Amino acid sequence: MNNSILIIGGTGEMGQWFAKFFKREGFEVTLWGSSQRVDIADKLGVNFASDLDNAIEKSDIVIVSVPIDITEKVISETAPKMKPGSLLMDFTSIKTKPVEAMEKYAPENVEILGTHPMFGPSIPSLYGQIVIMTPISGRCDNWFPVVKSVFENNGAHIEVIDPKEHDKFVSVVQGLTHFAYITIGSTFKRLDFDVSESRKFMSPVYDIMIDFVGRIIGQNPYLYALIQMENPEVLKVHDAFKKECNNISEIVRQQDVESFVENMKSAASHFGDTTSALHRSDKLINSKLQEFDQIAKLVGKECGLVHRYSGATHVGYVEKVKPRHVVLSKPYQKNKSISLKIENVRLLSENELRQWKINNLKHITRDISVFIPTNAVPETIRDVISNNANVVDTEIIDIYSGFENIENLSATYRITVLEDSNPNLIQDEVKKLLEGLGCYPRS
Amino acid sequence: MNNSILIIGGTGEMGQWFAKFFKREGFEVTLWGSSQRVDIADKLGVNFASDLDNAIEKSDIVIVSVPIDITEKVISETAPKMKPGSLLMDFTSIKTKPVEAMEKYAPENVEILGTHPMFGPSIPSLYGQIVIMTPISGRCDNWFPVVKSVFENNGAHIEVIDPKEHDKFVSVVQGLTHFAYITIGSTFKRLDFDVSESRKFMSPVYDIMIDFVGRIIGQNPYLYALIQMENPEVLKVHDAFKKECNNISEIVRQQDVESFVENMKSAASHFGDTTSALHRSDKLINSKLQEFDQIAKLVGKECGLVHRYSGATHVGYVEKVKPRHVVLSKPYQKNKSISLKIENVRLLSENELRQWKINNLKHITRDISVFIPTNAVPETIRDVISNNANVVDTEIIDIYSGFENIENLSATYRITVLEDSNPNLIQDEVKKLLEGLGCYPRS
């Protein structure tokens, strides 16, 4: 029989992601969520635990996937009810407190495994993703290898670390990153600084930084409050950061160039490989600039731009390219001109543009009738016609062999071309090709 | 006669960039640099001012392009020597002090124009770049339109702003950006935080942030010291930033969720369009992930990777993709296997890969002799053969019409294929095509 898995908090986005994942992996999946959204379980084709305690008692694995601030409470209520030989996991982004709670509340014959998936619910698969696990020797000897291999077989990388070490890293990785960006955002407000005006000073490093400031401060503030407040290591990081702020600012105030240089150099030497960091950030900056350059080169030329958020495709000639906008005249859409934010569009590849035209432009057909050479195969000639890039489609609409005194087959080819090309010109090209192959015109 | 331009500090990188630019624009360009690098002027095909004072007196435009901390001094020594009707410009990244110095030291009949090009010397052209100018009414009425149009005709965007306003913006755009990243780098050192270990916790937001930290702290610290110290507005920004650090950290210490939320919300509302910031940063993050996904999809398939720094091209089959590395087995390079950092490589397009193979793989030829249909043109048939994607080249090596009892032309086609394809298979495909066209084999 398959292993059964219960996900508490399974109606949340991460819970749903793992419900689908474990179902695909052959587990018998049951969800529970305080919102009682049975419809979510139905949609995913898994069970909903109408009787939570009963589901806990029966499950081989119980996963706690709830907000950080209630994780310990949920663990304390769940762990004592689990059956011998089963496994309790949590998916919280801190590990010391949840693992301590699991150690405290889980019976000795129930295994425990702290887990921190380093991704959000938008990823398509585990391939290349990182999952942090904090196994404790003697507390998950049977289940750890099983869970590890389920993840690894799907391409994930498992990193094993001590819970306290984990929280120290996370206090910087999430704690300091968010703190710095939120503080910068608050500084803008304190200075009454006009952010959108400041974008005129388009330095790519600044530009990218304020996009991340906007990204962070625009998200759910309660989630960010919890990340700052639930991990006690974060305050130590704040303290270190504040000391450095005061120290460096004082150095600047004293115009003490040598101390500034000394400080920056030793930070660089502690950091380690700054060259790779430079290369990676260069690559990122270039990916922004490259797209701009690509579009800038298209002035006067035809291109297709798909809007990343509305999904609309705009095809036309590039009239003008400004630092943040591209102006397109749209010959297929009533000759209107449209100005698009470059950050919101993606350039269609040549193939995509061709496909768009095939789907959206008028199709025009032309028929060409010829006698084909002795022993030639009409379908081979049809395929050769199709190699013309302007021919969308080639069809044989007639084959006839009954002409008096003529032993050759007659074939009529119908070519389809698009309204933006010149049908007569293309028809002439195809006729010339056919003559070159030894076909001769009928009529 | 052409306008003459003197660039003081013209042997520096920015100076050289503008020397080339103004030369292309038809100016008579002269450089001067304290390093006396006449060779740089020679290489650029412009003059070097052996007598600086004389060059200042003769020039229509003098540009001061020297480090911030000596800009005022250079202005004070240069401005009084300039001829009536000429223009003095500076290219420093702060504007209040240099413009005040130009006002003070330039005679009234010499025009002045503070300028801040918002780009580094690595850009290929001005297209889409921003140049900030701080014209003062009555002090550059003749020259401002001239200089503006030289830049605009090359695709630059000119932003006009008051020098003080400029420095306020720059104190944040450069001052705060650098200060925040340098402080984060110093915090890593203070915490003895293992940056390279922390990359295991690959959250893209963190990953990108530390790359920018490494980027900034790895650069010339003297330059960054000057940017912090020369603009008096920067200290005001430090003070605001330190207050916000203390305030938010205290809120976290007090576990005051509501104040945290309130603060973050009001920062977001001051910031303005956080949605666009989210979209732009998403796009940036995706450009990192997309490349990974693209490479991950190639496991088991052939691909070409060019190393961004060594320039070497590696072609082979993708064996494995790890979060930061791709392992390639290299069948054309003695079957060795190589592990490459994904951040250091660029994936070749299909066309580039094909071109690489054409240049690097052995070429194999096969000859096919046929009688072609009556009136068929040998060259047309050659072109049709070339449509086969595996055929690199098709040549007619013989045409003969003298066969007894046969009126048709005989043609011998030599096809070239690459060693990684099956020449016999391709030869058979081409023969089949030719038969379908009504050709029949000779011999």
Side-chain angles (χ1 to χ4, degrees):
Chain A
M1 227 189 79
N2 292 337
N3 281 322
S4 59
I5 216 163
L6 168 66
I7 305 178
I8 297 178
T11 52
E13 283 187 81
M14 276 305 261
Q16 291 185 45
W17 195 96
F18 277 100
K20 281 183 272 187
F21 172 75
F22 284 115
K23 191 187 172 210
R24 264 199 316 272
E25 288 300 305
F27 288 79
E28 166 83 21
V29 178
T30 303
L31 304 185
W32 187 84
S34 58
S35 60
Q36 300 291 334
R37 293 281 304 272
V38 181
D39 58 311
I40 291 176
D42 289 347
K43 209 186 66 193
L44 299 174
V46 301
N47 312 309
F48 189 89
S50 49
D51 179 345
L52 177 57
D53 284 357
N54 182 258
I56 293 171
E57 280 158 34
K58 282 184 354 196
S59 295
D60 297 312
I61 300 178
V62 176
I63 294 172
V64 175
S65 175
V66 300
I68 313 178
D69 54 338
I70 57 166
T71 296
E72 287 167 82
K73 183 168 168 284
V74 172
I75 287 172
S76 73
E77 291 166 358
T78 306
K81 300 171 188 158
M82 290 176 65
K83 70 176 178 189
S86 63
L87 171 70
L88 177 61
M89 297 171 79
D90 83 294
F91 278 1
T92 320
S93 64
I94 56 173
K95 293 272 69 68
T96 308
K97 288 201 259 175
V99 171
E100 279 171 6
M102 290 196 289
E103 281 186 292
K104 181 172 169 192
Y105 295 107
E108 271 186 32
N109 55 11
V110 167
E111 297 201 342
I112 59 174
L113 179 56
T115 302
H116 181 188
M118 293 300 292
F119 49 82
S122 62
I123 58 156
S125 88
L126 277 184
Y127 200 94
Q129 298 295 337
I130 291 180
V131 180
I132 314 269
M133 291 187 172
T134 62
I136 295 169
S137 177
R139 286 305 312 259
C140 54
D141 295 354
N142 294 320
W143 278 109
F144 176 56
V146 176
V147 175
K148 185 166 181 272
S149 71
V150 170
F151 285 170
E152 283 181 341
N153 292 342
N154 284 278
H157 289 258
I158 305 295
E159 291 284 350
V160 170
I161 192 170
D162 171 78
K164 284 210 171 55
E165 278 297 301
H166 169 278
D167 287 2
K168 271 194 192 163
F169 276 116
V170 169
S171 68
V172 172
V173 170
Q174 295 190 317
L176 180 56
T177 308
H178 298 168
F179 183 70
Y181 285 140
I182 294 168
T183 305
I184 293 170
S186 306
T187 304
F188 290 160
K189 183 174 152 55
R190 184 179 282 268
L191 293 169
D192 198 18
F193 180 73
D194 189 334
V195 177
S196 88
E197 217 21 49
S198 76
R199 289 199 186 259
K200 284 184 183 169
F201 296 79
M202 283 223 307
S203 121
V205 173
Y206 172 69
D207 224 34
I208 289 172
M209 185 189 79
I210 55 169
D211 282 342
F212 278 93
V213 170
R215 177 191 186 85
I216 300 293
I217 62 176
Q219 290 186 35
N220 181 351
Y222 287 96
L223 179 66
Y224 285 77
L226 291 180
I227 292 173
Q228 291 293 315
M229 294 175 189
E230 293 294 320
N231 182 349
E233 296 293 323
V234 168
L235 279 174
K236 297 181 198 163
V237 174
H238 287 186
D239 288 342
F241 186 70
K242 285 186 294 180
K243 276 186 193 141
E244 287 303 324
C245 275
N246 289 328
N247 182 33
I248 298 172
S249 184
E250 193 50 34
I251 289 172
V252 171
R253 197 177 304 271
Q254 302 299 331
Q255 303 268 318
D256 181 354
V257 174
E258 287 314 316
S259 294
F260 186 94
V261 167
E262 184 47 47
N263 180 78
M264 192 160 142
K265 273 188 183 164
S266 73
S269 116
H270 173 81
F271 185 95
D273 186 3
T274 55
T275 308
S276 292
L278 181 69
H279 288 172
R280 276 190 298 266
S281 56
D282 265 347
K283 193 166 172 176
L284 216 59
I285 290 171
N286 285 336
S287 80
K288 261 177 105 92
L289 301 181
Q290 256 168 24
E291 186 169 62
F292 178 83
D293 286 349
Q294 252 185 335
I295 293 176
K297 275 187 200 135
L298 292 173
V299 173
K301 290 185 193 142
E302 189 178 45
C303 86
L305 297 170
V306 58
H307 197 282
R308 285 170 189 269
Y309 302 102
S310 76
T313 299
H314 304 276
V315 173
Y317 287 81
V318 178
E319 271 182 16
K320 221 188 307 188
V321 181
K322 296 185 268 179
R324 293 199 175 262
H325 291 85
V326 50
V327 182
L328 214 60
S329 65
K330 297 169 71 183
Y332 309 121
Q333 285 130 327
K334 290 182 189 161
N335 263 320
K336 278 183 193 160
S337 168
I338 186 170
S339 173
L340 294 159
K341 273 198 178 169
I342 292 176
E343 70 211 38
N344 288 339
V345 296
R346 184 177 67 76
L347 190 61
L348 293 186
S349 71
E350 273 181 42
N351 278 339
E352 288 172 318
L353 179 56
R354 183 176 155 84
Q355 199 51 54
W356 182 90
K357 287 184 173 187
I358 290 173
N359 295 338
N360 290 278
L361 298 194
K362 239 186 272 165
H363 291 200
I364 297 166
T365 61
R366 288 282 188 276
D367 295 344
I368 304 165
S369 297
V370 288
F371 292 104
I372 68 171
T374 316
N375 295 324
V377 182
E379 288 76 12
T380 304
I381 293 173
R382 177 199 60 201
D383 295 346
V384 168
I385 295 172
S386 293
N387 283 325
N388 184 309
N390 287 308
V391 174
V392 172
D393 192 36
T394 315
E395 220 182 328
I396 303 174
I397 55 166
D398 183 46
I399 296 183
Y400 186 70
S401 60
F403 282 98
E404 213 172 321
N405 297 329
I406 303 178
E407 57 165 326
N408 297 57
L409 280 181
S410 146
T412 301
Y413 295 99
R414 172 164 294 170
I415 59 169
T416 305
V417 301
L418 297 175
E419 58 174 311
D420 68 329
S421 53
N422 181 335
N424 295 337
L425 200 75
I426 296 164
Q427 186 178 25
D428 287 347
E429 278 175 24
V430 172
K431 277 184 182 165
K432 209 173 155 222
L433 168 73
L434 293 175
E435 281 168 30
L437 295 176
C439 302
Y440 53 100
R442 213 174 85 191
S443 88
Chain B
M1 223 189 81
N2 293 337
N3 281 321
S4 60
I5 215 162
L6 168 66
I7 305 178
I8 298 178
T11 53
E13 283 188 80
M14 277 303 264
Q16 290 185 47
W17 195 96
F18 278 100
K20 281 184 272 186
F21 171 76
F22 285 115
K23 191 186 171 211
R24 264 199 318 271
E25 290 298 306
F27 288 80
E28 167 83 21
V29 178
T30 301
L31 305 186
W32 186 84
S34 58
S35 60
Q36 299 291 332
R37 293 281 303 275
V38 181
D39 58 312
I40 291 176
D42 288 347
K43 209 186 66 195
L44 298 175
V46 301
N47 312 310
F48 189 90
S50 50
D51 180 343
L52 177 58
D53 284 355
N54 184 258
I56 293 170
E57 281 158 36
K58 281 185 356 197
S59 297
D60 298 310
I61 300 179
V62 177
I63 294 172
V64 175
S65 174
V66 301
I68 311 178
D69 55 336
I70 57 166
T71 297
E72 287 167 84
K73 183 167 167 287
V74 173
I75 287 171
S76 72
E77 291 165 0
T78 306
K81 302 170 188 158
M82 290 176 65
K83 70 175 178 189
S86 64
L87 171 70
L88 177 61
M89 295 172 81
D90 83 295
F91 279 1
T92 320
S93 62
I94 55 172
K95 294 272 72 67
T96 308
K97 287 201 262 177
V99 171
E100 279 172 5
M102 290 196 287
E103 281 186 292
K104 183 171 168 191
Y105 296 106
E108 269 185 32
N109 55 10
V110 168
E111 298 201 343
I112 60 174
L113 179 57
T115 302
H116 181 189
M118 293 301 293
F119 50 82
S122 61
I123 58 155
S125 87
L126 277 185
Y127 199 93
Q129 299 293 339
I130 291 180
V131 180
I132 313 270
M133 292 188 170
T134 62
I136 293 169
S137 178
R139 287 304 313 258
C140 53
D141 297 353
N142 293 322
W143 279 107
F144 176 57
V146 175
V147 176
K148 186 167 181 271
S149 72
V150 169
F151 285 170
E152 283 181 341
N153 291 342
N154 283 276
H157 290 257
I158 306 295
E159 292 283 348
V160 169
I161 192 171
D162 171 79
K164 284 209 170 56
E165 277 299 299
H166 170 278
D167 286 3
K168 270 194 192 164
F169 276 116
V170 170
S171 69
V172 172
V173 170
Q174 294 190 317
L176 180 58
T177 308
H178 299 167
F179 182 70
Y181 285 140
I182 294 168
T183 305
I184 293 170
S186 306
T187 303
F188 290 160
K189 184 175 152 53
R190 182 179 283 267
L191 293 170
D192 198 20
F193 180 74
D194 189 334
V195 177
S196 89
E197 247 330 85
S198 77
R199 289 199 186 259
K200 285 183 182 170
F201 295 79
M202 282 222 308
S203 118
V205 174
Y206 173 70
D207 224 36
I208 290 172
M209 186 189 78
I210 56 171
D211 282 341
F212 278 92
V213 169
R215 176 191 188 86
I216 300 293
I217 63 178
Q219 291 187 34
N220 181 351
Y222 288 95
L223 180 65
Y224 286 78
L226 290 181
I227 292 173
Q228 292 292 314
M229 293 174 190
E230 292 294 322
N231 182 348
E233 295 294 323
V234 168
L235 279 174
K236 296 181 198 162
V237 174
H238 286 186
D239 288 342
F241 186 68
K242 285 187 293 181
K243 276 186 195 145
E244 287 303 324
C245 275
N246 289 328
N247 181 32
I248 298 172
S249 185
E250 193 51 35
I251 288 172
V252 172
R253 196 176 305 273
Q254 302 298 333
Q255 302 270 316
D256 181 355
V257 175
E258 288 312 317
S259 294
F260 187 94
V261 167
E262 183 47 46
N263 180 77
M264 191 161 143
K265 274 189 184 163
S266 73
S269 115
H270 174 80
F271 185 94
D273 187 2
T274 56
T275 308
S276 292
L278 181 71
H279 289 171
R280 277 189 298 267
S281 56
D282 265 346
K283 194 165 172 176
L284 216 59
I285 290 171
N286 285 337
S287 81
K288 258 177 107 96
L289 300 181
Q290 255 168 25
E291 186 169 61
F292 179 85
D293 286 348
Q294 250 185 339
I295 293 176
K297 275 186 200 135
L298 292 173
V299 172
K301 292 183 192 143
E302 188 177 47
C303 85
L305 298 170
V306 58
H307 197 284
R308 284 171 189 269
Y309 302 104
S310 75
T313 299
H314 304 276
V315 174
Y317 286 81
V318 179
E319 272 182 16
K320 220 186 310 186
V321 180
K322 295 187 268 181
R324 292 202 175 261
H325 292 85
V326 50
V327 182
L328 215 59
S329 67
K330 296 169 69 185
Y332 309 120
Q333 285 132 327
K334 290 181 189 162
N335 262 321
K336 275 182 193 160
S337 167
I338 186 169
S339 173
L340 295 159
K341 272 198 182 171
I342 293 177
E343 70 211 38
N344 288 339
V345 296
R346 184 176 67 77
L347 189 62
L348 293 186
S349 71
E350 274 180 42
N351 278 339
E352 288 172 317
L353 179 57
R354 184 177 155 84
Q355 199 51 52
W356 182 91
K357 288 183 172 188
I358 290 172
N359 296 339
N360 291 279
L361 298 194
K362 240 186 273 166
H363 290 199
I364 298 166
T365 60
R366 288 284 188 277
D367 294 344
I368 304 165
S369 296
V370 288
F371 292 105
I372 68 171
T374 317
N375 295 324
V377 182
E379 287 76 13
T380 303
I381 293 173
R382 177 199 60 199
D383 296 345
V384 169
I385 295 172
S386 292
N387 284 325
N388 185 310
N390 287 307
V391 173
V392 172
D393 192 36
T394 313
E395 219 183 329
I396 302 172
I397 56 167
D398 184 46
I399 295 183
Y400 185 70
S401 60
F403 283 97
E404 214 173 318
N405 297 329
I406 301 179
E407 58 163 324
N408 298 59
L409 281 180
S410 147
T412 300
Y413 295 100
R414 172 163 292 170
I415 59 169
T416 305
V417 301
L418 297 174
E419 57 174 310
D420 70 329
S421 53
N422 182 333
N424 295 337
L425 199 75
I426 296 165
Q427 187 176 26
D428 288 347
E429 277 175 23
V430 172
K431 277 184 183 164
K432 208 173 156 224
L433 168 73
L434 293 175
E435 281 168 30
L437 295 176
C439 302
Y440 54 101
R442 215 175 80 193
S443 88

